[in-house]
Amino acid sequence: SGKIGFIGLGQMGGHMAANLAKAGNHLVVFDVVDANIQAVKAHGKVDVATSPRDVAKQCSTIVTMLPSTPHVTDVYLGKNGIVHELTKDHFLIDSSTIDPGFTKSLSAQISEKGAKIIDAPVSGGVNGAKNATLTFMVGGTKAAFEQSQTVLKQMGKNVIHCGGASTGQAAKICNNLALAIQMTSVAEALTLGDKLGIDPKVLSSIMNTSTSQCWSSSLNNPYPGVMEGVPSSNEYKGGFASVLMRKDLGLAIDAAKSVEASIPLTSSVHQFYNLIVNQGHGGKDFGYILKFLEGKE
Ligand code: NAD
């Protein structure tokens, strides 16, 4: 059928599904939180399913945007999972950021039944989801990548084929480990600079025209008041939650173990985010690392 299924209507998925509805698609959605379903219904023709399995009964194309590996396992393979309704016509797009090892085995199980699946995690954050400017990192066959274009372009701007199954997840976790280390380095520089008497605004403007310029210094500066409209100037609300960054760093560490890669800085930064989450700040943007280093809160 021409309907598109969407499962997982949270911070990201809610906007992504809304964009698909606004583009004129008839959606069939499912989430475990009713308020998240209601928010999407306002944006177009949206039916509500009773389970992932029910979504799969009604739609051949399905997008999933779930928090982490256990949720994806449940939605695809659980008691009321997609797998129980799978036909050769099904085309599944998992945009969650999860364990590449699991993605590989899920892909094998789905392909065995003649259906198609791609991993298509995203970067661009909640604003990218809202404005349909996300970058999709796609792992899967060339044919599946091509088939995904129409749907993904309605939710994002760049759709990049990374290679076979799970290489989209690999791209995503490598990007995020670099981002976490980069953010930590900016936070360390601004914290030390502050204590040495350099105004963080001045130091940031120097960094932004010098060799240490990066996304975390110029577009998501972690020092409160240096930039307007970023989480650090709004008590670290919104943005990319520390608990999700901790998850992605954990995924990178597990993946590195599986191939004996050495990523020592990732391990250190993962420990910081463990402490941040354990101290009750998991919901704050990952720029909160600056407050953690300052030791003020
Ligand atoms: P979220 O927690 O806001 O949303 C997840 C949604 O899934 C929620 O609505 C939740 O109710 C639903 N859900 C959970 N279990 C379910 C189940 N069994 N069946 C149906 N629905 C279920 O998370 P998010 O911020 O939207 O992130 C989703 C994914 O995208 C994560 O893997 C995250 O790492 C990744 N991501 C997030 C961002 C960001 O800035 N928030 C950016 C890039 C990638």
Side-chain angles (χ1 to χ4, degrees):
S1 78
K3 293 181 198 169
I4 298 178
F6 207 111
I7 303 171
L9 308 165
Q11 302 250 37
M12 298 292 289
H15 291 301
M16 292 162 70
N19 284 331
L20 287 180
K22 283 184 213 159
N25 298 290
H26 185 166
L27 299 190
V28 178
V29 302
F30 179 71
D31 196 289
V32 289
V33 176
D34 189 56
N36 294 356
I37 294 172
Q38 297 312 320
V40 171
K41 275 179 87 172
H43 294 282
K45 205 157 187 223
V46 180
D47 295 340
V48 182
T50 55
S51 67
R53 179 180 189 155
D54 185 29
V55 173
K57 203 184 279 181
Q58 300 185 53
C59 310
S60 51
T61 299
I62 304 172
V63 183
T64 52
M65 191 51 165
L66 299 155
S68 60
T69 312
H71 307 91
V72 175
T73 308
D74 187 45
V75 162
Y76 282 82
L77 306 174
K79 197 162 73 71
N80 291 309
I82 291 170
V83 74
H84 304 294
E85 290 291 335
L86 212 58
T87 68
K88 287 186 171 40
D89 292 331
H90 275 100
F91 183 58
L92 310 174
I93 300 172
D94 182 30
S95 284
S96 327
T97 303
I98 61 163
D99 173 24
F102 174 78
T103 293
K104 214 173 210 176
S105 94
L106 178 67
S107 168
Q109 289 177 64
I110 299 291
S111 309
E112 225 168 66
K113 296 188 186 265
K116 287 199 202 98
I117 184 167
I118 57 171
D119 43 302
V122 304
S123 95
V126 174
N127 279 332
K130 194 174 180 178
N131 302 328
T133 55
L134 293 170
T135 293
F136 286 90
M137 303 164 222
V138 177
T141 64
K142 191 90 206 296
F145 167 69
E146 265 149 27
Q147 190 176 340
S148 74
Q149 296 293 311
T150 312
V151 172
L152 298 187
K153 286 266 167 71
Q154 289 170 347
M155 300 185 284
K157 202 162 73 180
N158 304 308
V159 183
I160 297 161
H161 192 206
C162 301
S166 86
T167 56
Q169 297 294 356
K172 173 66 185 170
I173 62 177
C174 290
N175 178 73
N176 276 23
L177 82 79
L179 174 63
I181 291 169
Q182 177 195 85
M183 174 60 86
T184 306
S185 72
V186 171
E188 284 194 6
L190 293 175
T191 304
L192 174 62
D194 195 17
K195 291 189 174 168
L196 293 174
I198 309 167
D199 181 336
K201 271 193 183 167
V202 175
L203 179 54
S204 294
S205 74
I206 292 168
M207 290 172 73
N208 287 339
T209 52
S210 301
T211 42
S212 65
Q213 186 277 334
C214 62
W215 188 83
S216 299
S217 67
S218 61
L219 290 170
N220 189 28
N221 194 291
Y223 201 101
V226 166
M227 289 179 71
E228 276 173 37
V230 294
S232 60
S233 296
N234 186 27
E235 293 162 348
Y236 298 94
K237 286 184 196 137
F240 184 52
S242 294
V243 67
L244 290 179
M245 183 55 99
R246 174 180 73 162
K247 175 202 63 163
D248 290 358
L249 295 172
L251 291 173
I253 290 166
D254 289 346
K257 268 189 206 134
S258 75
V259 292
E260 293 181 27
S262 172
I263 52 168
L265 284 179
T266 304
S267 298
S268 299
V269 173
H270 184 238
Q271 291 308 314
F272 299 150
Y273 282 100
N274 260 333
L275 291 167
I276 288 171
V277 172
N278 292 340
Q279 289 171 7
H281 303 296
K284 294 183 176 138
D285 179 71
F286 75 114
Y288 187 77
I289 186 90
L290 182 128
K291 285 287 156 197
F292 175 81
L293 294 170
E294 277 182 339
K296 281 185 191 154
E297 282 169 54

